[in-house]
């Protein structure tokens, strides 16, 4: 059993990691350690007298929760740092104290009710410790869940809050997890950005005081992905201690880091408490989202590979989890809203001729949607544009040897739509205030069960009406006017989380109803690209920015947490529609083929040379696709620091690898550079684009990069063991 409780210490461990919690003499849970595997009996937690400004226990001034490292600190008591949990009862803030009640160790990993989470395929893969705590005055009980993986250096945490008191209470903060790390020099990485500039890497020193990241947008957002990596100051790509924290949640999140007066670092993650206030009725339970905590003693690279393996195989689900994804051609940048059946079939036919495998009709097919000002919510086909309906189009596409995919944006409603005219109260709105439009649309109140039921019905009717193999599920604006017509005033603080639970129910129901459909998440690019969505949809649109240079940054940043099988990348036209940059077809194809590759351009407008290039790209992608999607990823050159980018994938058996190198702008008369490969078998002999080297040589000496640099140059090395 990888969980023990001896001498008042819980030790949660596998071969690579240990997590230790001490049950204190006053019944508090104190955080002792999370890091490489140790023997818990050999460590102790020193308590020492601190300044009189910190409240202590009775007259025992060597024991203060204000300075001791805690597991799930509570707001309002001895501890004056940020609380993971805060409660209001009878109209006033409570100062609770969660004391140990009991514990339970079980095989496997329970699923979180109504929410996404990492899962076990069989009970041997995880062991779960549940520690129950209770505040004796309010009667509130909090169960802390810790699931440790047998295979990976991973602990998944969440909390379940039960109201066993005699009346309702308000929860005003409920983090998924908190952890107090010992004093030291730390830095942290986060993935920040904006629309068309998602997941840019920033590494900051952890300073004294409070810092962190958050979203208040109603979705995880393009601005801050729900992820941070806390790093010891000397950690880098391949060495040093790193704690990767990734929240399985798609709405408002907060991840904070707080260095207190004695240097201890409190890391906390969960639902953003800023706009959260949840009424918990008697006998009811509130379940927080799950926080996935990865420990790596060998830098960021190992942390990312752990996230990739775990998320690819035990977060993503369904038929496509382990399947190679079809190379698609999407009509969005080719036609926007201006298409008819003939135009679409022409793009699809040309795609088929070049070796593509699926045609995707993106937006504009429903209601009276000829631009982005109308029809969201009217999920019935526009027969003026598609006289044979979706079935007619899908059958013709199929006749060309292609699969057929379709775009939806279920959680939105256009003011100009039949649905809004019939149900104006279905859009989020604050009483008598005017609603705010964004992209000319409102947001549907997903916190309402009747609305979710309606959407299940409307979307499933369409999915049944034709042979549809793929759905692109978009979400093109942030939430404003967050208020539900069906909840009383004092419960509006629940709407943001209830919205997300409603969206998760919709995603869960539809993905279960249509197990053969490949679902792709999207949100004006990657505005809701988080582990929560990946539980329902095994891939996500990487960004609306299809420029190959911008994509180097975005895909490199995404690789911190997300496996290549979840990141979709398209080759588009030049000048690029987002940044107006002109890059060669080779670079565009090479960058896209380092992820889930697709195309998004008008194939009737390309010349013979480009056609030939595309054909070759597709042939090559079909050869390397399994290695890219399911191999281990190693980052080689960081575009945020250098003028080029490089990374590689190695198949699990180390028999195949593929290395990508992309240059931004050439340095005139540059130095001769080599790139050292990683992750190969030293003893194997590999063929590399016609030459033969041992794995050891490739990893020690490396491969020469192009001798005379050119702007936007790229090289792809296909590597195979002999
Ligand atoms: C935003 C998406 O990110 C695009 O790829 C495209 O699907 C448009 N929405 C369609 O409206």
């Amino acid at each position: 059993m990888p969980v023990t409780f001896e001498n008042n210490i819980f030790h949660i461990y596998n071969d690579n990691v240990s997590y230790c919690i001490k049950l204190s003499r006053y019944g508090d849970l104190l955080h002792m350690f999370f890091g490489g595997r140790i023997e818990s009996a050999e460590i102790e937690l020193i308590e020492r007298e601190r300044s009189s400004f910190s409240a202590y226990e009775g007259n025992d001034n060597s024991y203060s929760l204000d300075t001791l490292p805690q597991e799930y600190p509570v707001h309002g008591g001895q501890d004056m740092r940020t609380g993971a949990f805060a409660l209001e009862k009878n109209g006033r803030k409570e100062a609770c104290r969660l004391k140990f009640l009991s514990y339970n160790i079980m095989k496997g990993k329970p699923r979180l009710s109504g929410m996404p989470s990492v899962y076990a395929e069989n009970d041997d893969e995880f062991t779960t410790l549940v520690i129950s705590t209770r505040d004796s005055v309010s009667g509130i009980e909090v169960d802390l869940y810790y699931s440790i993986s047998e295979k990976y250096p991973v602990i998944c945490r969440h909390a379940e809050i039960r109201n066993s008191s005699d009346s309702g209470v308000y929860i005003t903060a409920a983090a998924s997890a908190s952890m107090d790390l010992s004093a030291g020099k730390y830095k942290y990485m986060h993935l920040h950005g904006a629309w068309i500039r998602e997941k840019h890497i920033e590494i900051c020193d952890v300073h004294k005081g409070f810092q962190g990241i958050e979203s208040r947008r109603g979705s995880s957002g393009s601005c801050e992905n729900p992820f941070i990596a806390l790093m010891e100051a000397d950690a880098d790509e391949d060495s040093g201690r790193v704690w990767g924290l990734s929240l399985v949640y798609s709405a408002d999140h907060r991840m904070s880091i707080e260095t207190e007066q004695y240097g201890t670092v409190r890391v906390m993650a969960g639902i953003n408490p800023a706009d959260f206030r949840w009424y918990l009725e008697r006998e009811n339970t509130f379940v927080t989202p799950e926080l996935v905590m990865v420990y790596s003693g060998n830098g960021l690279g190992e942390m990312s590979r752990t996230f990739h393996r775990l998320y690819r195989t035990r977060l993503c689900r369904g038929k496509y989890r382990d399947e190679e994804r079809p190379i698609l051609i999407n009509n969005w940048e080719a036609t926007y809203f201006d298409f008819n059946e003939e135009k679409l079939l022409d793009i699809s036919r040309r795609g088929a001729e070049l070796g593509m495998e699926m045609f995707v009709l993106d937006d504009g097919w429903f209601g009276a949607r000829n631009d982005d000002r109308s029809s969201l919510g009217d999920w019935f086909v526009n027969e003026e544009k598609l006289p044979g309906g979706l079935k007619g189009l899908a059958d013709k596409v199929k006749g060309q040897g292609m699969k057929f995919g379709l775009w939806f944006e279920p959680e939105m409603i256009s003011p100009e739509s039949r649905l809004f005219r019939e149900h104006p109260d279905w859009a989020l709105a604050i009483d008598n205030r005017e609603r705010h439009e964004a992209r000319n649309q409102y947001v549907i109140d997903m916190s309402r069960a009747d609305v979710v039921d309606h959407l299940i019905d409307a979307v499933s009717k369409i999915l049944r009406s034709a042979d549809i193999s793929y759905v692109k599920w978009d979400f093109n604006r942030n939430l404003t006017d967050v208020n539900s017509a069906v909840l009383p005033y004092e419960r509006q603080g629940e709407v943001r989380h209830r919205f997300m639970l409603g969206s998760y129910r919709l995603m869960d129901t539809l993905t279960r109803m249509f197990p053969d459909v490949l679902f792709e998440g999207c949100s004006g690019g990657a505005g809701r690209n988080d582990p929560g969505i990946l539980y329902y949809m095994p891939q996500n649109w990487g960004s609306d920015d299809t420029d190959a240079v911008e994509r180097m940054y975005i895909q490199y940043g995404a690789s911190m947490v997300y496996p290549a099988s979840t990141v979709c990348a398209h080759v588009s036209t030049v000048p690029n529609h987002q940044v107006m940059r002109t890059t060669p077809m080779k670079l565009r194809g090479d960058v896209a083929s380092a992820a889930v590759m697709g195309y998004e351009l008008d194939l009737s407008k390309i010349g013979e040379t480009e056609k030939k290039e595309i054909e070759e790209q597709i042939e090559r992608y079909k050869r390397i696709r399994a290695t890219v999607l399911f191999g281990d990823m190693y980052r080689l050159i960081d575009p945020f620091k250098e003028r080029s980018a490089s990374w590689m994938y190695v198949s699990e058996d180390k028999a195949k690898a593929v290395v990508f190198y992309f240059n931004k702008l050439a340095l005139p008369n540059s130095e001769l550079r080599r790139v050292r490969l990683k992750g190969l078998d030293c003893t194997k002999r590999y063929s590399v684009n016609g030459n033969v080297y041992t794995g050891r040589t490739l990893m020690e000496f490396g491969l020469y990069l192009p001798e005379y640099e050119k702007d936007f140059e790229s090289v792809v090395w296909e590597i195979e063991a002999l």
Side-chain angles (χ1 to χ4, degrees), residues 332 362-363 407 439 472 474 476 522 524-525 541 544:
W332 178 242
D362 195 313
D363 208 341
W407 179 98
R439 207 199 191 206
K472 177 174 177 184
D474 214 337
N476 274 302
C522 174
W541 179 219
D544 273 352

Side-chain angles (χ1 to χ4, degrees), residues 89-90 138 140 163-169 279-282:
K89 198 175 175 185
N90 303 326
S138 68
I140 296 298
N163 183 357
S164 316
S165 76
D166 50 8
S167 61
V169 296
Y279 182 66
L280 189 63
E281 288 173 37
R282 275 189 60 216

